[in-house]
Amino acid sequence: MKKSTNSELIFTTSKDDKICIIDDCMVIKYGSKRNTLITSWYNGGYNENIKTVFNHSISDKEYLKIKDNNYETYLKNIAYKLNTHPEHTTGVMTSASMDNISISTKKYKEIEVTSIVTAGTKHTGIQAGDPASFYEHDNNFTMKPGTINTFILINAYLNESSLLIAGITATEAKTVALRQLKVPSKYSSNLASGTGTDSICIMSNMESSNKLDNAGKHSKLGELIGKSVIEATKNALKLENKFDNNYQCSVLSRLERYNIDFYDFYSWIEDSLNTAEFGVLLYPFIDDEYNVGWISSILNIYDEIQIGLISEANGKKLILDLIKMNTKFKSNNLINKLDILDYLVYAIVYKITKNKNIKLNKKEKIEFHLED
């Protein structure tokens, strides 16, 4: 394997840790002696002899070439390519681009935390407890590339146990970032809590005289970890997947996790209206912030019905009241024929086409009773 020579320095911490881009890798070169806790096949777990950590961007085609799921050998070859000592190097991989790295540093008095994140969730977002995408037996499995990799450099000294607690705090912070952006799971109608292949690396400074035991959410260190991970994760998702507040300010974006898209709305049109003409009617509605808040209220109730926090009878009544409030649409017949979300889609189509002489598709010859 050809060794890399191209290196671009993109960030230096206060402890002289160098963060570089070398070809298709982000590389962290320690500026002081550090202990490392990392979820890696290669020199993974807890280690006090690591000097270099990398995050390798792998293509789908390259991923499929890894023989017999031997990720350790593959990552070791990346270390060789980077010209680093194999026993003092560890790393992970991702399908995210190294052009979309996000770095966030937070400080308080003597404590400094730097989080480095790459994130890709467009095809692999999942909530813990969702249906699995693969079953592993005897190291035989196939995963989809696409992940959130989080690297955290702490200028203070943490022992092995405290690094584990820092990892818990960081993982929760990652989920907070995803929830704030309402990133959908690709395996259910839930919001994603991560991807199925996320990695984390926590690194503390063993040369520091400031020894910290507490990295949980009540501690200042935990707060800094949380804030830096949330900020870096949200920015990485914006860079890689265009997930940001503007993207989520859309009725269609909110409905994505229920597998409802533009064509579900268009399917109710019976007239000779083409998709472009229909879009002219639909998009002003779905991009209106009031309507985004309205749909979010409905979906929150729908979610609470699914997990049993609100009874189906009362939840459905609340949703129907909200639908009628904004669309002026009610059909007792249709309520009994359609799933509540299908009913919602029809009500929106009814609102945007009303008084425009556009014929709607009365699926299954349903007789509508409209109450304005």
Side-chain angles (χ1 to χ4, degrees):
M1 184 178 289
K2 185 179 178 181
K3 295 187 178 181
S4 301
T5 54
N6 255 349
S7 180
E8 177 191 358
L9 179 66
I10 61 171
F11 190 83
T12 303
T13 70
S14 63
K15 294 300 176 183
D16 204 35
D17 306 289
K18 309 289 186 187
I19 301 166
C20 308
I21 301 297
I22 303 177
D23 294 339
D24 48 12
C25 291
M26 180 275 293
V27 179
I28 303 171
K29 299 177 180 179
Y30 293 171
S32 57
K33 183 170 175 58
R34 289 186 173 274
N35 55 349
T36 305
L37 184 69
I38 185 170
T39 54
S40 174
W41 285 284
Y42 169 51
N43 289 334
Y46 179 76
N47 199 315
E48 296 184 357
N49 297 310
I50 297 298
K51 297 179 180 179
T52 305
V53 177
F54 64 82
N55 186 22
H56 170 61
S57 180
I58 184 171
S59 67
D60 291 353
K61 186 177 180 181
E62 189 181 4
Y63 182 83
L64 292 172
K65 289 181 180 179
I66 300 176
K67 293 182 179 179
D68 302 321
N69 290 332
N70 197 338
Y71 301 104
E72 181 180 4
T73 298
Y74 179 84
L75 292 170
K76 190 172 183 178
N77 286 335
I78 296 299
Y80 174 79
K81 179 182 174 183
L82 294 170
N83 200 25
T84 62
H85 194 292
E87 293 181 11
H88 301 309
T89 304
T90 184
V92 295
M93 54 189 176
T94 177
S95 64
S97 170
M98 292 303 111
D99 292 333
N100 297 329
I101 285 173
S102 178
I103 301 174
S104 173
T105 297
K106 300 297 178 185
K107 301 177 183 178
Y108 180 80
K109 294 186 177 180
E110 300 87 4
I111 307 173
E112 178 181 284
V113 175
T114 295
S115 294
I116 308 136
V117 177
T118 57
T121 63
K122 212 160 186 84
H123 305 294
T124 55
I126 190 169
Q127 177 180 274
D130 276 354
S133 63
F134 68 86
Y135 169 72
E136 178 182 4
H137 176 71
D138 197 22
N139 198 37
N140 184 16
F141 62 97
T142 301
M143 296 186 301
K144 289 183 178 179
T147 189
I148 300 173
N149 289 345
T150 307
F151 305 83
I152 301 170
L153 289 152
I154 301 168
N155 71 337
Y157 171 62
L158 281 69
N159 63 22
E160 185 174 358
S161 176
S162 298
L163 287 176
L164 284 166
I165 297 169
I168 293 171
T169 302
T171 301
E172 291 185 27
K174 172 197 66 181
T175 298
V176 169
L178 296 177
R179 293 299 165 98
Q180 287 182 356
L181 292 174
K182 295 191 178 295
V183 174
S185 168
K186 295 301 179 180
Y187 299 89
S188 72
S189 62
N190 296 315
L191 293 169
S193 59
T195 80
T197 53
D198 292 347
S199 290
I200 192 165
C201 179
I202 315 286
M203 301 153 278
S204 88
N205 179 14
M206 297 183 74
E207 296 175 358
S208 174
S209 59
N210 186 19
K211 181 180 178 182
L212 302 178
D213 291 327
N214 298 294
K217 295 177 290 297
H218 289 294
S219 69
K220 181 56 71 171
L221 173 59
E223 176 190 333
L224 298 180
I225 291 170
K227 286 181 174 177
S228 65
V229 169
I230 291 169
E231 183 173 85
T233 303
K234 290 176 73 172
N235 190 49
L237 286 166
K238 179 179 180 179
L239 292 169
E240 183 73 24
N241 294 148
K242 311 306 179 190
F243 279 128
D244 61 9
N245 293 347
N246 290 330
Y247 175 85
Q248 295 296 8
C249 193
S250 163
V251 169
L252 278 181
S253 293
R254 300 301 175 90
L255 289 170
E256 179 184 347
R257 60 191 170 103
Y258 305 96
N259 293 318
I260 296 172
D261 61 18
F262 174 91
Y263 292 97
D264 291 293
F265 290 90
Y266 184 65
S267 67
W268 286 103
I269 299 297
E270 188 175 275
D271 234 2
S272 58
L273 205 66
N274 63 40
T275 55
E277 292 168 331
F278 180 67
V280 170
L281 298 176
L282 181 64
Y283 281 106
F285 178 90
I286 65 175
D287 291 336
D288 184 277
E289 191 173 36
Y290 175 87
N291 294 327
V292 175
W294 168 74
I295 202 78
S296 187
S297 299
I298 289 172
L299 296 179
N300 184 60
I301 296 169
Y302 184 82
D303 288 343
E304 295 204 358
I305 294 172
Q306 304 308 304
I307 59 177
L309 289 178
I310 296 178
S311 70
E312 184 174 357
N314 284 325
K316 189 173 181 179
K317 183 178 184 300
L318 282 166
I319 289 173
L320 292 172
D321 287 346
L322 284 168
I323 291 173
K324 185 179 179 183
M325 176 194 77
N326 193 24
T327 65
K328 309 301 181 189
F329 175 80
K330 183 177 179 181
S331 168
N332 292 326
N333 192 314
L334 191 56
I335 288 168
N336 296 324
K337 297 268 187 184
L338 291 177
D339 174 85
I340 193 69
L341 293 184
D342 290 329
Y343 179 90
L344 167 66
V345 169
Y346 183 89
I348 293 172
V349 175
Y350 167 82
K351 177 181 175 69
I352 66 175
T353 59
K354 188 180 178 184
N355 301 325
K356 296 186 184 300
N357 296 318
I358 296 171
K359 189 181 292 185
L360 300 186
N361 176 18
K362 295 181 175 62
K363 296 180 180 178
E364 300 178 7
K365 297 181 179 179
I366 296 172
E367 293 182 6
F368 299 117
H369 172 62
L370 305 181
E371 297 174 11
D372 293 339

